[in-house]
Amino acid sequence: MRTVVSSLTEDEELTEILKSYSSNKVTTTKYSFLSFIPKNLFEQLHRVANIYFIFLAALNFVPVVNAFQPEISIIPILLVLTVTAVKDLWEDYRRHKSDKFINGLLSCGLFYHRKQQTYVDQRWQDVHVGDFVRLSCNEIIPADMLLLYSSDPHGVCYIETANLDGETNLKQRQVVRDLPQQVCENFHSRIECESPNNDLSRFRGYMEYPSKARVGLHNDNLLLRSCTIRNTETVIGIVVYAGHETKAMKNNSGPRYKRSKLERRLNVDVLWSVVLLVIMCLTAAIGHGLWLRNLKEASFLIPDTTSPALSGFYLFWTMIIVLQVLIPISLYVSIEIVKLCQIFFIQNDVDFYNEYMDSRIQCRALNITEDLGQIQYVFSDKTGTLTENKMVFRRCTIAGVEYPHEENGEKSKVHFSTQHNIFHQGSVSLHTLTGHSEGEEPPSPTLPQQSAFSSPLEKDIVPDPFLVQKLNSLSSPLFLLKDASMELTYIVDFFMALAICNTVVVSSPNQPRHVVSNITSPVCTGQSFSRKLRTGDSEMSRLSTGEHGSWKGEENKMLHLTLGACSGLGNSNGAQGPPGEPGADELIYEAESPDEAALVHAARAYRCTLQGRSLESLLVELPGMGSLAVRLLHILPFDSTRKRMSVVVRHPLTNQVVVYTKGADSVIMDLAESPKGAEQSDGRQGHIREQTQKHLDNYAREGLRTLCVAKKVLEEEEYEIWLKRHAFAETSIENREELLLESAQRLETNLTLLGATGIVDRLQEEVPETIEALQRAGVKVWVLTGDKQETAINIACACKLLRSTDQLLTANCGSKEACKALLLELRAEVERGEAAEGTSGFTLVVDGRTLDFALQEDLKGDFLELSRRCRAVVCCRSTPLQKSHVVKLVRDQLRVMTLAIGDGANDVSMIQVADVGIGISGQEGMQAVMSSDFAISRFKHLRKLLLVHGHWCYTRLANMILYFFYKNVMYVNLLFWYQFFCGFSGSVMTNSWVLIFFNLLFTSAPPLLYGILDKDVSADTLIKLPELYKSGQNSKAYLPSTFWLTMLDALYQSLVCFFIPYFANAGSDADMLTFGSPINASALLTILLHQVIESCTLTWLHVLVLVGSALFYFSFTLVFSVVCVTCSPPTNPLGVDKLQMSQPLFYGVCALTTVLALLPRYIHQQ
């Protein structure tokens, strides 16, 4: 727990406590001026390869084993460490600039100054825990602070969390309950709250007043750093978390680092290279010992008492130094450079740019680009990932009668066919988070740019004519008919629930926030309507025990009713204009979810309009009634456990306490039981439940998202009893969330079912084409969704995951034993289908309950065996935890490369578990993006990301790594062959400068260009032929067999490059360096031209680098042989290369050697 008091306190002990907390200065840099060299060196020493080369450099300083000048041996490792350090320094400098900007932000009148007794300007970095902070509208919150004051008379503050989680809708925060009116200098309360953590949705603690009274603190009292104050003139708070202890910084984990599959393969081959190095050095050591033992008083030997065995031991270490380049020291640095360039190309691909959202792809994991080319399983969320997550009210059923809204359905089809790419202006940008489209007017400075989930299609709803006529009959004499009155009561309650059962914030262009003030008497209403509703309510319980009845007989009568004087779908609040029509008084709804926005807009289409909201009241307009003030008693917010939300209100006409509930149909239908017991199951409520369930099933088959609406009328005594328990839960400090959940569940029982809604969520553009391309590429696609089974199947058909020729397998079980039997039965059916000819494939559909059984230890084997034989799998009604368990199960048990993609907070767990996690920036905020390795704006971008960039990244890196091994092994073998002709003495036929620089400088640039720019197949071809992606899945570019074939090729080329110059100089008086000169030149030309043969792309840049590398080598050796006399003692290279390059034999030997060395490779490639 953390104790927070006012920073103005004079208590020294409390002051020391405040000083122990983190300041608001943020430092994301890794190094300081003094710590950079030691800390960066320490980090680089975590790489075993760097330690290995430092050890060799130090070993070369030991006289008895040194191979050449000690100073030269440290050049390679120094160069590698320096390049890496410069890269790290540049990245850290960028972080430093960002920190300096944020810490230096100046807020006017931010900090309360004790001496001046007023608020003064203050920089963010100077804010501390316990300080009082005053903010105005549109200012960004500098630290996590507890809300103590709001200019709103109801103690409410609105914030926009776009900078934190990407959500553009407004969130409501409240002043601490029962807080006495007190100025800052008289604030003597003590705050006890939880320690800093990264949970954005939870805050626990209590405030103890000087009177020792305690009040609980929760998330609604906390203003988070980086959020923006909206629609509130002034707020004052006390800082409880600052700097790195704020929840925003706790969630800022920075770039993600993972080990790619290719890197794991590389580490294995590095170990094989070490084994090969040890074998070569042992061979040389043994050979040297035997050679010395067989020599008898050789005149050229310096007398030495060292035994042959000890000399062989010394030579082993000497050969380790000589052959050190067998381990590619520059490979790791080259891989990092290539990956950074690959990320640059991915991020700057214009095909990934979304102009409507002003966003592009974001690469958050810097070292797994090649994994994009090896994906075998894709696990996708549905809503917001495959679909738009733009909910449009499509149809509804009320009291068992369905209203198809056919005109609205046709309108939505036309809209999606013509504007399928349109995004609303307020969509979240990955980079700006608040960007607006070009050519548009900047948003109002007092409002967020655009209300969330308010595209024209979502707002413009065409009412169903039958339902319009029924609502228009409110003032008709037929309203008093028993059935008509009863049905209209259901209809009014249904739309009342849609309008008020939410947390929507209401505003307009001319008024930042619509609040409920003193409301005059409703227009054209009175006791008659109140009496009618009371009659309806009394009829409801009486009729529920009677006969079914049918309202269809009254429908035709109602269609011919004329509008009454104040019936009014036609003239309710005419100044406001039709829904969706822009105007000065147009209402703007800030909803927390697209479902919520769609339902509020639907209610408004029927003139059941939510016009304003305050902490305790709602202003609602009803048709024929005018504006009514509804007293808001409680809001029981939605949670994933209950899968529903409720509001408790005092009905404006009946004065009864009414609970309106909306939620998942699977939950509400179970709670919608007849209040009087089972003997009434044949009554009207039973009939409504039966008809509603049929309509729900039809909606699901059409792919609509379904939601049920219900109500409950509470007796005053019943409400008082519940209120006492609920008040205790609200004020509890310990287990507050659990108690509130229990309280909500206690209230939401024996509900009266009013009806249900069907909301359409259209597929994103090119989703079917993307899924089809992935399946052709050999990628298995699984959809993990929380939707109903019928809805999931419908979407699977629409996106071509489920083909018409597929056999559909469904798994719905009520027990573990039934699940086991069904899995075995389905597996046998699949095996029979595979044995039969003409079977196209199987698609498995599993519900959440069955998935729970299937993921248990003794059943997961059967589940995996069945699912891997299916072409696709759909898991419906799945929870976030189940999603992550499925991904982990497939990844670990099948040992395959997995990718998870989603857009919401419920997808975070599976995104983090998968080998590659991809977040989609959409309507659900940025939680998925912040947890992902890559972030895109549309599902269709996955096709090019995997099939093109993934393929290129994998093949480029794989080929570059193999090329590095090839050139190092090829050159090291030249040194090894020479040992057979020098008594295994560790001597080399070249000077030490060329030996060190050969792989480090002369041949390092071409493979870098190879790894960055090479294209084995064009982008268009990869898109047209997704089957080409399978080569990456099977790791064809980098198999163990490929590695050893490359080693054999290097062995052959080294033999040719060594022995042709050897035979060309046989019998001559050529010295060691003269012999080595054509060997080095031939090896260089062979290595460079080998890459030309292997490359699929050859541009002027490739030619420039290749020719430049060759010229660099020849220029260096020529200058070295002309000016250097004692650069490589004890040998003297003066004039050697100059003389060689003047002789035709040198060029003839180089040409012949190069041709013969590359001939097998060239023939193989052809």
Side-chain angles (χ1 to χ4, degrees):
M1 294 289 286
R2 148 173 301 210
T3 301
V4 178
V5 296
S6 168
S7 59
L8 306 179
T9 182
E10 297 181 355
D11 189 313
E12 293 185 0
E13 183 179 350
L14 293 176
T15 301
E16 289 301 318
I17 293 177
L18 293 180
K19 288 182 179 179
S20 66
Y21 300 142
S22 172
S23 72
N24 205 42
K25 184 176 181 180
V26 171
T27 305
T28 60
T29 56
K30 295 169 62 178
Y31 312 108
S32 66
F33 179 78
L34 295 177
S35 68
F36 173 71
I37 292 179
K39 191 172 182 179
N40 185 263
L41 184 62
F42 176 76
E43 289 178 349
Q44 293 200 54
L45 290 180
H46 280 74
R47 286 185 173 175
V48 179
N50 288 342
I51 297 178
Y52 165 76
F53 283 105
I54 291 176
F55 168 73
L56 292 185
L59 190 65
N60 200 47
F61 280 86
V62 179
V64 72
V65 296
N66 72 328
F68 37 78
Q69 287 175 269
E71 297 81 7
I72 299 176
S73 64
I74 65 174
I75 292 177
I77 187 61
L78 278 180
L79 187 61
V80 170
L81 294 178
T82 302
V83 169
T84 305
V86 169
K87 178 183 73 70
D88 294 340
L89 183 62
W90 177 73
E91 291 178 351
D92 210 52
Y93 176 69
R94 292 177 62 190
R95 289 190 288 264
H96 170 72
K97 287 180 64 178
S98 175
D99 293 344
K100 187 176 180 181
F101 172 77
I102 293 174
N103 292 327
L105 287 175
L106 184 67
S107 294
C108 299
L110 170 71
F111 173 72
Y112 185 81
H113 195 275
R114 176 191 296 177
K115 294 182 179 180
Q116 300 182 21
Q117 295 188 355
T118 186
Y119 287 91
V120 298
D121 297 351
Q122 190 86 320
R123 298 191 183 277
W124 279 28
Q125 65 183 10
D126 298 324
V127 174
H128 296 83
V129 173
D131 288 348
F132 293 98
V133 175
R134 183 179 68 184
L135 297 171
S136 301
C137 186
N138 296 326
E139 285 193 324
I140 300 177
I141 303 169
D144 292 354
M145 58 190 221
L146 204 62
L147 184 59
L148 302 180
Y149 166 80
S150 171
S151 57
D152 183 275
H154 299 282
V156 174
C157 164
Y158 292 91
I159 63 173
E160 181 184 275
T161 60
N163 291 337
L164 187 63
D165 59 16
E167 296 183 5
T168 56
N169 53 291
L170 299 185
K171 309 288 196 309
Q172 182 174 290
R173 295 294 182 261
Q174 297 175 231
V175 171
V176 176
R177 188 171 55 84
D178 299 331
L179 188 66
Q181 293 293 328
Q182 48 191 341
V183 296
C184 300
E185 57 189 9
N186 295 324
F187 183 88
H188 300 298
S189 300
R190 181 169 59 91
I191 299 168
E192 294 286 341
C193 58
E194 59 189 2
S195 299
N197 58 74
N198 63 352
D199 192 342
L200 296 173
S201 60
R202 171 177 159 178
F203 175 70
R204 289 182 175 179
Y206 65 87
M207 181 182 290
E208 185 175 276
Y209 300 136
S211 62
K212 300 302 180 181
R214 290 183 178 182
V215 59
L217 304 176
H218 47 88
N219 201 52
D220 287 343
N221 305 131
L222 190 66
L223 304 181
L224 297 179
R225 176 189 172 107
S226 299
C227 296
T228 306
I229 302 295
R230 297 290 191 192
N231 295 358
T232 310
E233 186 177 344
T234 305
V235 299
I236 297 175
I238 183 172
V239 176
V240 291
Y241 304 122
H244 289 279
E245 294 178 342
T246 60
K247 291 181 181 290
M249 293 303 298
K250 288 286 185 180
N251 278 276
N252 183 14
S253 58
R256 295 164 56 82
Y257 291 91
K258 292 182 178 180
R259 288 182 62 200
S260 67
K261 182 180 179 181
L262 188 63
E263 186 178 344
R264 296 193 293 269
R265 176 70 241 175
L266 166 64
N267 291 337
V268 173
D269 290 338
V270 167
L271 291 177
W272 280 117
S273 298
V274 172
V275 172
L276 185 60
L277 175 66
V278 170
I279 292 174
M280 295 171 73
C281 293
L282 280 175
T283 302
I286 294 171
H288 183 65
L290 294 176
W291 184 74
L292 286 178
R293 180 173 295 177
N294 293 331
L295 280 178
K296 301 297 182 182
E297 298 180 359
S299 58
F300 55 83
L301 282 179
I302 299 174
D304 190 4
T305 57
T306 306
S307 66
L310 185 59
S311 295
F313 174 76
Y314 289 154
L315 188 88
F316 174 84
W317 297 106
T318 301
M319 290 301 297
I320 289 283
I321 298 172
V322 171
L323 305 181
Q324 62 178 287
V325 290
L326 182 63
I327 311 300
I329 184 174
S330 59
L331 176 57
Y332 290 98
V333 177
S334 300
I335 288 175
E336 285 192 10
I337 294 173
V338 167
K339 287 184 177 181
L340 287 175
C341 292
Q342 289 176 344
I343 288 172
F344 173 81
F345 288 132
I346 292 174
Q347 288 184 330
N348 287 276
D349 189 332
V350 294
D351 290 339
F352 293 139
Y353 178 70
N354 189 318
E355 61 178 318
Y356 297 102
M357 297 179 67
D358 187 27
S359 66
R360 58 183 179 178
I361 190 171
Q362 194 177 48
C363 302
R364 298 172 55 84
L366 305 180
N367 55 343
I368 59 169
T369 54
E370 65 272 27
D371 279 350
L372 293 172
Q374 298 182 278
I375 300 300
Q376 294 163 285
Y377 278 75
V378 168
F379 299 89
S380 174
D381 177 42
K382 182 187 78 67
T383 304
T385 303
L386 300 179
T387 62
E388 293 277 3
N389 202 13
K390 289 185 177 180
M391 308 303 177
V392 180
F393 183 84
R394 178 63 183 82
R395 56 204 308 177
C396 66
T397 173
I398 306 175
V401 178
E402 197 210 4
Y403 303 96
H405 292 73
E406 294 175 354
E407 188 176 347
N408 193 48
E410 293 299 321
K411 182 177 178 180
S412 66
K413 291 179 182 177
V414 173
H415 181 92
F416 277 109
S417 64
T418 56
Q419 298 187 19
H420 62 274
N421 256 343
I422 299 300
F423 286 78
H424 62 273
Q425 298 170 11
S427 294
V428 182
S429 165
L430 290 178
H431 303 284
T432 66
L433 288 175
T434 52
H436 54 274
S437 303
E438 294 182 9
E440 295 174 3
E441 290 296 322
S444 168
T446 59
L447 281 172
Q449 289 196 6
Q450 177 78 3
S451 60
F453 320 120
S454 295
S455 68
L457 182 61
E458 291 169 305
K459 295 192 292 184
D460 297 344
I461 297 171
V462 181
D464 186 270
F466 282 90
L467 195 49
V468 168
Q469 293 290 352
K470 289 181 180 180
L471 278 173
N472 282 340
S473 66
L474 285 175
S475 60
S476 166
L478 281 178
F479 177 73
L480 298 177
L481 292 175
K482 180 179 71 174
D483 281 346
S485 175
M486 189 64 211
E487 183 183 14
L488 282 171
T489 302
Y490 273 85
I491 293 174
V492 171
D493 275 328
F494 179 83
F495 284 111
M496 174 79 84
L498 296 190
I500 69 175
C501 189
N502 52 63
T503 57
V504 169
V505 178
V506 187
S507 60
S508 68
N510 293 338
Q511 186 176 351
R513 180 160 39 87
H514 285 201
V515 297
V516 180
S517 56
N518 293 328
I519 304 299
T520 58
S521 299
V523 179
C524 198
T525 60
Q527 296 181 354
S528 60
F529 190 82
S530 177
R531 187 168 55 251
K532 293 172 187 178
L533 280 184
R534 287 194 182 96
T535 303
D537 284 335
S538 62
E539 291 284 345
M540 185 180 297
S541 59
R542 185 174 64 84
L543 292 175
S544 62
T545 61
E547 299 178 358
H548 262 15
S550 173
W551 298 323
K552 293 184 179 180
E554 301 296 333
E555 288 180 6
N556 293 330
K557 298 179 183 179
M558 292 178 183
L559 286 175
H560 300 290
L561 292 174
T562 58
L563 296 178
C566 39
S567 65
L569 286 194
N571 53 6
S572 170
N573 197 5
Q576 186 175 306
E581 179 182 313
D585 296 324
E586 179 188 1
L587 295 179
I588 298 175
Y589 292 139
E590 297 282 347
E592 291 191 3
S593 70
D595 303 73
E596 195 170 78
L599 297 180
V600 177
H601 286 301
R604 187 182 177 200
Y606 288 94
R607 293 290 186 245
C608 297
T609 305
L610 176 63
Q611 294 182 319
R613 170 185 294 276
S614 73
L615 193 62
E616 299 176 350
S617 300
L618 299 166
L619 184 61
V620 182
E621 179 194 13
L622 294 179
M625 296 289 298
S627 298
L628 299 172
V630 181
R631 185 181 174 191
L632 179 62
L633 302 177
H634 306 280
I635 295 180
L636 307 179
F638 176 89
D639 63 68
S640 57
T641 303
R642 290 164 44 242
K643 295 183 179 180
R644 59 189 180 272
M645 80 162 291
S646 299
V647 293
V648 184
V649 299
R650 178 75 65 177
H651 201 284
L653 300 173
T654 65
N655 204 37
Q656 292 177 309
V657 177
V658 182
V659 182
Y660 289 106
T661 303
K662 68 177 183 183
D665 56 281
S666 59
V667 175
I668 301 297
M669 294 297 284
D670 291 339
L671 296 174
E673 300 293 341
S674 297
K676 299 291 182 68
E679 68 273 7
Q680 298 178 350
S681 59
D682 292 333
R684 177 150 293 164
Q685 265 294 297
H687 173 72
I688 291 175
R689 285 198 303 274
E690 180 183 345
Q691 293 300 315
T692 302
Q693 187 60 59
K694 290 180 180 179
H695 298 150
L696 286 170
D697 294 340
N698 291 333
Y699 294 171
R701 280 191 287 270
E702 294 179 19
L704 302 182
R705 290 169 61 87
T706 55
L707 201 71
C708 282
V709 180
K711 66 172 283 189
K712 179 180 182 180
V713 179
L714 295 178
E715 299 293 338
E716 291 295 334
E717 182 180 354
E718 182 183 2
Y719 172 66
E720 291 297 330
I721 295 174
W722 176 85
L723 181 60
K724 290 180 181 179
R725 295 181 179 178
H726 189 71
F728 173 76
E730 281 187 321
T731 56
S732 294
I733 297 172
E734 298 294 330
N735 303 320
R736 182 175 184 272
E737 287 82 1
E738 293 79 1
L739 291 173
L740 286 175
L741 175 63
E742 181 184 342
S743 176
Q745 290 175 332
R746 189 184 305 114
L747 183 68
E748 298 163 334
T749 57
N750 296 328
L751 302 178
T752 299
L753 182 64
L754 298 175
T757 62
I759 300 174
V760 64
D761 184 12
R762 299 285 297 210
L763 284 178
Q764 294 181 17
E765 71 277 11
E766 298 183 34
V767 166
E769 293 82 357
T770 301
I771 289 181
E772 184 180 23
L774 292 176
Q775 290 181 328
R776 286 176 58 191
V779 178
K780 289 194 173 183
V781 181
W782 289 29
V783 173
L784 312 178
T785 177
D787 280 340
K788 289 184 66 175
Q789 182 170 298
E790 294 83 357
T791 304
I793 292 174
N794 183 278
I795 294 296
C797 292
C799 66
K800 294 187 179 179
L801 182 67
L802 175 59
R803 299 182 300 194
S804 58
T805 56
D806 285 350
Q807 293 190 35
L808 184 63
L809 307 176
T810 57
N812 302 318
C813 301
S815 66
K816 183 177 178 181
E817 293 73 19
C819 179
K820 183 176 180 62
L822 182 60
L823 290 177
L824 294 176
E825 179 184 342
L826 293 177
R827 180 178 168 184
E829 183 178 344
V830 171
E831 290 174 350
R832 289 193 299 270
E834 290 175 340
E837 296 182 0
T839 303
S840 62
F842 296 87
T843 297
L844 176 65
V845 179
V846 186
D847 71 348
R849 190 175 184 184
T850 305
L851 192 59
D852 261 337
F853 300 134
L855 291 175
Q856 294 182 16
E857 190 65 32
D858 52 340
L859 291 185
K860 65 183 182 182
D862 294 329
F863 173 67
L864 270 180
E865 184 62 27
L866 170 63
S867 58
R868 75 176 186 87
R869 293 171 177 263
C870 295
R871 201 176 59 85
V873 176
V874 178
C875 299
C876 50
R877 294 295 194 195
S878 53
T879 64
L881 190 60
Q882 285 178 328
K883 291 181 179 182
S884 62
H885 285 170
V886 168
V887 175
K888 185 177 181 181
L889 177 66
V890 173
R891 184 199 66 189
D892 295 343
Q893 298 297 321
L894 299 183
R895 298 186 179 276
V896 292
M897 291 294 293
T898 59
L899 180 150
I901 179 170
D903 74 315
N906 60 333
D907 304 315
V908 167
S909 54
M910 75 168 180
I911 286 174
Q912 293 178 330
V913 165
D915 294 296
V916 178
I918 295 185
I920 289 186
S921 56
Q923 308 279 345
E924 294 287 345
M926 298 287 283
Q927 296 97 325
V929 168
M930 291 187 293
S931 304
S932 65
D933 303 312
F934 300 89
I936 58 180
S937 60
R938 307 296 276 171
F939 184 82
K940 68 176 182 179
H941 294 157
L942 191 62
R943 173 164 53 168
K944 186 172 186 181
L945 182 62
L946 296 187
L947 303 186
V948 178
H949 288 286
H951 176 85
W952 282 347
C953 290
Y954 169 71
T955 54
R956 287 168 177 171
L957 269 175
N959 290 332
M960 188 194 78
I961 291 171
L962 288 173
Y963 183 78
F964 259 96
F965 279 117
Y966 149 76
K967 73 185 184 70
N968 285 25
V969 170
M970 189 267 197
Y971 189 72
V972 162
N973 275 327
L974 297 175
L975 307 178
F976 181 68
W977 303 139
Y978 184 69
Q979 302 308 308
F980 288 90
F981 299 92
C982 67
F984 299 98
S985 60
S987 300
V988 292
M989 68 289 187
T990 183
N991 68 74
S992 53
W993 289 92
V994 172
L995 175 65
I996 293 296
F997 288 160
F998 192 90
N999 279 303
L1000 195 64
L1001 295 179
F1002 302 145
T1003 60
S1004 60
L1008 279 178
L1009 196 66
Y1010 184 36
I1012 295 171
L1013 296 179
D1014 195 52
K1015 293 182 181 179
D1016 59 335
V1017 187
S1018 68
D1020 291 339
T1021 304
L1022 288 169
I1023 292 293
K1024 292 177 182 177
L1025 299 174
E1027 292 80 6
L1028 296 173
Y1029 184 78
K1030 294 179 180 179
S1031 62
Q1033 292 175 326
N1034 301 323
S1035 303
K1036 287 186 178 179
Y1038 194 175
L1039 294 168
S1041 58
T1042 312
F1043 173 78
W1044 290 112
L1045 284 174
T1046 302
M1047 297 298 100
L1048 290 176
D1049 192 22
L1051 179 66
Y1052 163 78
Q1053 291 185 13
S1054 67
L1055 289 170
V1056 173
C1057 288
F1058 183 85
F1059 283 102
I1060 288 183
Y1062 173 79
F1063 289 118
N1065 288 283
S1068 68
D1069 59 351
D1071 64 358
M1072 180 175 65
L1073 295 181
T1074 300
F1075 171 60
S1077 182
I1079 293 178
N1080 283 330
S1082 300
L1084 178 81
L1085 294 175
T1086 301
I1087 289 173
L1088 294 180
L1089 292 176
H1090 179 99
Q1091 182 171 322
V1092 174
I1093 296 173
E1094 289 292 303
S1095 296
C1096 300
T1097 304
L1098 194 61
T1099 65
W1100 65 268
L1101 193 58
H1102 290 80
V1103 174
L1104 180 64
V1105 171
L1106 290 168
V1107 173
S1109 296
L1111 291 177
F1112 181 33
Y1113 167 78
F1114 285 109
S1115 300
F1116 178 86
T1117 54
L1118 187 60
V1119 172
F1120 192 85
S1121 68
V1122 171
V1123 302
C1124 195
V1125 178
T1126 58
C1127 296
S1128 185
T1131 58
N1132 187 352
L1134 185 64
V1136 172
D1137 287 291
K1138 178 184 176 182
L1139 178 63
Q1140 285 290 300
M1141 293 182 192
S1142 65
Q1143 296 178 354
L1145 179 63
F1146 173 81
Y1147 298 101
V1149 169
C1150 289
L1152 179 62
T1153 302
T1154 304
V1155 170
L1156 291 179
L1158 294 174
L1159 189 60
R1161 171 64 59 173
Y1162 178 78
I1163 295 173
H1164 173 73
Q1165 287 296 98
Q1166 297 302 312

